[in-house]
Amino acid sequence: MQVKVNRVNLAYNIYGSGRPLVLLHAFPLNRAMWKPQVSDFSKKFHVITPDFRGFGDSQRTRQPYFMETLAEDIHALLKKLGITEFVLGGLSMGGYVAFAFYRHYPEMVQALILADTRAEADTEEGKKNRKALADQAIKEGPRAIAEMMTPKLLGKTTLAKKPRLVKQVKELISSNSVTGIANASLAMAFRADSNPLLPQITCPTLILVGDEDTLTPVALSENLHRNIKNSQLKIVPQAGHLSNMENPKAFNQAVKEFLKKM
Ligand code: MLT
């Protein structure tokens, strides 16, 4: 499905009925990464999986933007769908957008699911790497980014034992646009430190992280857990940064248990 928000056509899928659950994808993937979750979660929830602008089937925009822009797109999409309260889940960049959303619209968020993400802003070196990645995407295209990033995104177990998933992730990244990848990389470099926000988060929060995640190692999730009062931390075994795809069984179980208590 597509809807025009903030002058951009945004693609999204909707499944099931019940309490709304919005799932925000990682960089440089798109809403297809939630495939292992939707059939399971849609038995009890009204699951909404949007593509951020520039990703998947959403429209590309040339102008640079911020994490807040992506949060505003999600807000406008939910407004069009008539959804005022919901559970917000985000993995990695999806988590950065979830922080930006919570900063502006905390009253809409009934619960948060923060997977393989971090509160910290980029270091100076990290910012340089974002610019280098954006330049590489423009010069060499999404396939080169897929080859470069997939070994970092996936855990050692997946890389050694799940060649089909490795291929699938590469294809997913390669299907995205150069503009989408380059702009999001720069937008992440500009994002704010969300540490000051953590003590202000009052809703029930589930923090998930793959035990083999090297991009956002477990210690960063422990920091989230320490500073978000009403939070619990679940480590997803034998999974890297894309914990929802690498160990969907453990990931889904943790989410369902968390949501059952609500
Ligand atoms: C992601 O998975 O969204 C990215 O790895 C986030 C990042 O590079 O900081």
Side-chain angles (χ1 to χ4, degrees):
M1 273 174 268
Q2 292 232 350
V3 69
K4 193 158 200 142
V5 296
N6 302 334
R7 281 177 284 156
V8 177
N9 281 318
L10 223 58
Y12 64 100
N13 283 112
I14 291 198
Y15 313 83
S17 58
R19 191 196 288 272
L21 167 62
V22 179
L23 296 174
L24 305 179
H25 67 78
F27 171 88
L29 289 98
N30 58 48
R31 72 193 197 278
M33 70 170 253
W34 296 114
K35 192 160 178 264
Q37 278 66 53
V38 288
S39 57
D40 198 353
F41 294 173
S42 61
K43 289 180 198 139
K44 289 245 168 75
F45 295 92
H46 185 49
V47 185
I48 299 129
T49 57
D51 276 335
F52 291 128
R53 58 170 70 196
F55 288 93
D57 299 316
S58 285
Q59 195 180 332
R60 293 141 213 205
T61 53
R62 292 216 163 274
Q63 315 86 302
Y65 58 79
F66 303 96
M67 289 296 109
E68 280 68 22
T69 319
L70 302 184
E72 287 303 334
D73 287 348
I74 301 305
H75 182 254
L77 165 67
L78 294 172
K79 199 165 167 203
K80 288 236 163 147
L81 296 175
I83 294 170
T84 53
E85 286 191 315
F86 60 96
V87 177
L88 180 58
L91 192 140
S92 199
M93 180 176 80
Y96 307 158
V97 178
F99 287 135
F101 191 99
Y102 193 93
R103 210 172 274 124
H104 290 97
Y105 308 106
E107 70 289 350
M108 294 179 76
V109 182
Q110 294 173 316
L112 268 176
I113 300 166
L114 300 170
D116 302 276
T117 194
R118 57 152 66 88
E120 289 71 22
D122 283 353
T123 59
E124 283 314 308
E125 194 195 340
K127 286 185 184 160
K128 275 192 206 135
N129 293 339
R130 300 285 190 200
K131 173 83 173 70
L133 192 149
D135 290 345
Q136 188 188 356
I138 292 164
K139 256 196 234 127
E140 299 172 31
R143 194 156 286 279
I145 300 299
E147 289 299 332
M148 188 270 290
M149 279 205 75
T150 304
K152 298 182 188 172
L153 289 165
L154 297 172
K156 60 179 192 300
T157 306
T158 305
L159 290 170
K161 296 194 181 150
K162 298 185 178 169
R164 268 180 40 211
L165 181 54
V166 176
K167 188 162 175 261
Q168 192 191 333
V169 168
K170 282 188 186 170
E171 276 163 15
L172 221 162
I173 297 175
S174 305
S175 73
N176 282 323
S177 72
V178 169
T179 329
I181 293 174
N183 275 349
S185 188
L186 298 177
M188 285 193 289
F190 290 125
R191 79 185 186 283
D193 178 10
S194 288
N195 273 300
L197 175 74
L198 303 184
Q200 294 165 35
I201 298 179
T202 52
C203 65
T205 300
L206 173 66
I207 300 154
L208 293 156
V209 63
D211 63 348
E212 299 173 4
D213 186 342
T214 53
L215 287 182
T216 49
V218 173
L220 297 174
S221 285
E222 286 168 348
N223 172 59
L224 297 176
H225 179 42
R226 247 192 326 274
N227 292 293
I228 302 176
K229 280 183 282 291
N230 197 1
S231 68
Q232 50 177 288
L233 170 62
K234 281 262 158 43
I235 312 284
V236 183
Q238 300 199 313
H241 191 60
L242 300 181
S243 60
N244 73 306
M245 301 180 88
E246 296 180 64
N247 190 344
K249 200 164 166 233
F251 186 99
N252 293 5
Q253 188 60 29
V255 170
K256 285 188 292 184
E257 261 167 37
F258 169 68
L259 293 177
K260 206 159 53 189
K261 291 185 208 124
M262 287 191 50

